[in-house]
Amino acid sequence: MRESLDGGLPVVAKSSVKSERRSKSKATHSTSRSSLVLAFLSCLAWLYIAGRLWQDAENRMLLWKLFMQNSARQPKVLTMEDKLTVLGCKEMERKIAEVETELTVAKSQGFLRNHSMKSDPSGQRLLAVVGVYTGFGGRLRRNVIRGSWMSKANIEKYQEQGIVLRFVIGRSPNRGDSLDRNIDEENRKMNDFLILDRHEEAQEELPKKTKFFFSMVVQMWDADFYIKVNDNVDLEFGGLIALLQSRRDQDSAYIGCMKSGEVVAEEGRPWYEPEWWKFGDQKSYFRHAAGSILIISKNLAEYIHVNSAYLKAYAHDDTSVGSWMIGLRVTYIDDSQLCCSYSGQDKVCSLA
C-alpha cells in the first residue's frame, strides 16, 4: 500500500509540470499574436504618415516651382501702367491728364480761364479793384455810400484813375426768390454790383465769400491790388490812391491794419471761434489784417483763386485770409492809415 502511494507521487508531479508548460505555451502564443498585430498596425501607421509627408513634400515642391516660374515672368518693379491697370484707374488717369492740360493752359493765361480780363481803357493794368461787402438788408447803407464816395460820377472818375468800385453780394439760399430778384432789379438800375452766383449770402459764410470774391475779381480784372471793404467804412480816395501807388512795385503785398488778439473759445460770446483748439494753448490769433479793409496784391489773389478748394475757412474772414498767407512768402505791411476809426483823422478810412 505504501509502495503504491510512494510510486504515485511522481506521476502526479509530472502531470502538474506538463499542465504548467501547456498554460505557459498558450500565454506565450497569445502574447506573440498581440505583438504581431501591434507591429502590423504600427507598420500601417508608419506607411500612412510617410506617404502623407511624401505627398506634402511633392506639393510644396510643385508650389515652389510654380512660384518661381511666375516670379520669373513678372517684372521686379511695377510700372505706373501696371498699377493703374490693377487698380482699375484708367478712367481716372484720363481725367488727370485732362485736368493737367487745363491747368497748363490756365497758367499760360495767368491762371485765367473762360474769362476775358478787363483793364484800363488805355490798355494798362488797373491800380485796384475795390469790393464793398454788402447784404440783402443793406440797401439803405448802399444808398448812403452812393450819395458820397461811390456816386456814379465818382465811379467814372476813379475808373479813369485805374480803380474799379463794386458792391459785392452772393445769392439767396432760396435761389430766385424775392431777395435775388430785388438785387437783380437794383443792379439793372445802378450797374454797380458784383454778384457772386456760386456763393450763398449769409453772415456765417463771410470767409467763403472772401474766397469767391478774390477768385472772381482776379479773373475779371487785371489789377495790381484787390481790396475788400465793409459797407460800414467810408474811404478817402486821395490817401488810398497815394498808398497804393507807393506800394505798386511791392510783390506779394498783404496790406492792412495788422493785429492778432485772443481767440474766443466760449460759445455764445462775440467773435466765437469754433475751432479755437487749433490755435494752441495761448489761444492767440496769428498776425492778420483787420477785416474792415484789407489789400492783397495780384499774385496773392491768383494764389487764392487757384487753391480756393483747399484753403481752410475759419469763423471770420480776416483771420481766414491771414491763415492763407502764413505759408507763403508774403510781405506784411502794417499801415496805421488803414486802422479805421470813427474820427477818420489821418486815415484813408473811417467807420460810418
Side-chain angles (χ1 to χ4, degrees):
M1 187 69 168
R2 182 178 292 180
E3 288 180 359
S4 68
L5 290 169
D6 292 339
L9 287 172
V11 174
V12 173
K14 289 178 182 179
S15 177
S16 174
V17 169
K18 287 181 180 180
S19 176
E20 288 177 0
R21 286 178 179 174
R22 279 196 296 271
S23 63
K24 286 182 180 179
S25 175
K26 287 180 180 179
T28 303
H29 182 72
S30 177
T31 302
S32 299
R33 180 180 293 176
S34 298
S35 298
L36 287 174
V37 171
L38 289 175
F40 178 73
L41 292 175
S42 298
C43 289
L44 289 178
W46 183 86
L47 290 173
Y48 174 77
I49 293 172
R52 288 301 302 269
L53 291 175
W54 179 260
Q55 186 178 9
D56 289 343
E58 285 185 334
N59 290 338
R60 285 196 295 271
M61 185 61 67
L62 179 61
L63 291 173
W64 176 254
K65 288 180 180 179
L66 291 174
F67 173 76
M68 295 301 293
Q69 290 175 359
N70 292 332
S71 298
R73 274 195 286 249
Q74 292 180 353
K76 292 184 179 180
V77 179
L78 292 176
T79 64
M80 182 57 71
E81 182 77 15
D82 296 328
K83 292 178 181 178
L84 290 173
T85 301
V86 172
L87 297 174
C89 292
K90 285 292 187 180
E91 182 65 19
M92 183 63 70
E93 181 186 22
R94 183 184 64 80
K95 290 181 179 179
I96 290 172
E98 290 177 356
V99 171
E100 288 177 344
T101 302
E102 290 179 0
L103 182 59
T104 303
V105 173
K107 288 181 178 179
S108 68
Q109 297 176 352
F111 302 107
L112 309 175
R113 188 176 64 216
N114 299 330
H115 285 277
S116 57
M117 295 183 66
K118 301 174 185 177
S119 58
D120 189 83
S122 64
Q124 297 179 349
R125 177 184 285 187
L126 296 169
L127 178 60
V129 177
V130 179
V132 183
Y133 278 26
T134 187
F136 293 117
R139 182 160 189 169
L140 179 60
R141 182 59 195 157
R142 290 193 294 272
N143 288 337
V144 171
I145 295 174
R146 290 183 181 118
S148 57
W149 54 271
M150 201 169 160
S151 63
K152 283 192 175 183
N154 281 342
I155 289 177
E156 293 176 0
K157 182 179 75 171
Y158 297 139
Q159 177 78 41
E160 293 174 357
Q161 298 179 53
I163 296 180
V164 172
L165 301 173
R166 292 290 187 274
F167 288 111
V168 182
I169 195 168
R171 286 297 188 183
S172 168
N174 302 312
R175 295 297 178 99
D177 64 4
S178 60
L179 296 175
D180 280 346
R181 292 195 299 271
N182 290 339
I183 291 296
D184 291 336
E185 179 62 27
E186 187 178 346
N187 190 37
R188 277 192 290 271
K189 291 179 180 178
M190 309 305 299
N191 194 29
D192 57 2
F193 276 95
L194 175 65
I195 300 176
L196 307 175
D197 285 315
R198 294 172 56 199
H199 174 66
E200 189 174 287
E201 188 68 32
Q203 183 65 31
E204 63 273 14
E205 298 293 339
L206 279 177
K208 294 180 182 178
K209 182 175 183 176
T210 301
K211 280 201 293 185
F212 281 113
F213 166 65
F214 284 124
S215 181
M216 189 168 182
V217 293
V218 79
Q219 293 179 85
M220 294 182 65
W221 289 283
D222 182 20
D224 289 316
F225 299 100
Y226 300 91
I227 305 173
K228 173 258 173 180
V229 183
N230 289 342
D231 64 354
N232 65 339
V233 173
D234 290 330
L235 294 179
E236 196 282 297
F237 274 88
L240 179 62
I241 291 172
L243 185 155
L244 295 175
Q245 288 178 340
S246 68
R247 300 291 184 179
R248 200 161 194 172
D249 295 330
Q250 183 75 61
D251 194 30
S252 301
Y254 176 37
I255 311 172
C257 179
M258 296 294 170
K259 64 174 187 174
S260 55
E262 176 192 2
V263 177
V264 179
E266 292 78 27
E267 188 172 0
R269 284 183 55 191
W271 311 110
Y272 168 63
E273 173 57 70
E275 299 189 65
W276 54 267
W277 54 273
K278 289 186 177 180
F279 296 90
D281 296 334
Q282 300 300 319
K283 296 184 179 65
S284 179
Y285 280 119
F286 36 74
R287 207 73 170 159
H288 63 277
S292 298
I293 176 171
L294 62 88
I295 306 169
I296 62 174
S297 58
K298 180 181 175 64
N299 62 330
L300 296 181
E302 287 176 338
Y303 170 80
I304 293 173
H305 165 54
V306 173
N307 299 282
S308 60
Y310 308 101
L311 295 176
K312 169 68 178 174
Y314 290 98
H316 313 297
D317 57 344
D318 53 358
T319 54
S320 295
V321 175
S323 71
W324 304 338
M325 301 295 110
I326 286 179
L328 306 178
R329 292 182 178 177
V330 174
T331 303
Y332 285 71
I333 302 173
D334 183 12
D335 197 317
S336 61
Q337 296 180 85
L338 299 174
C339 297
C340 306
S341 65
Y342 287 101
S343 67
Q345 187 175 1
D346 299 325
K347 309 287 184 182
V348 300
C349 62
S350 60
L351 298 175

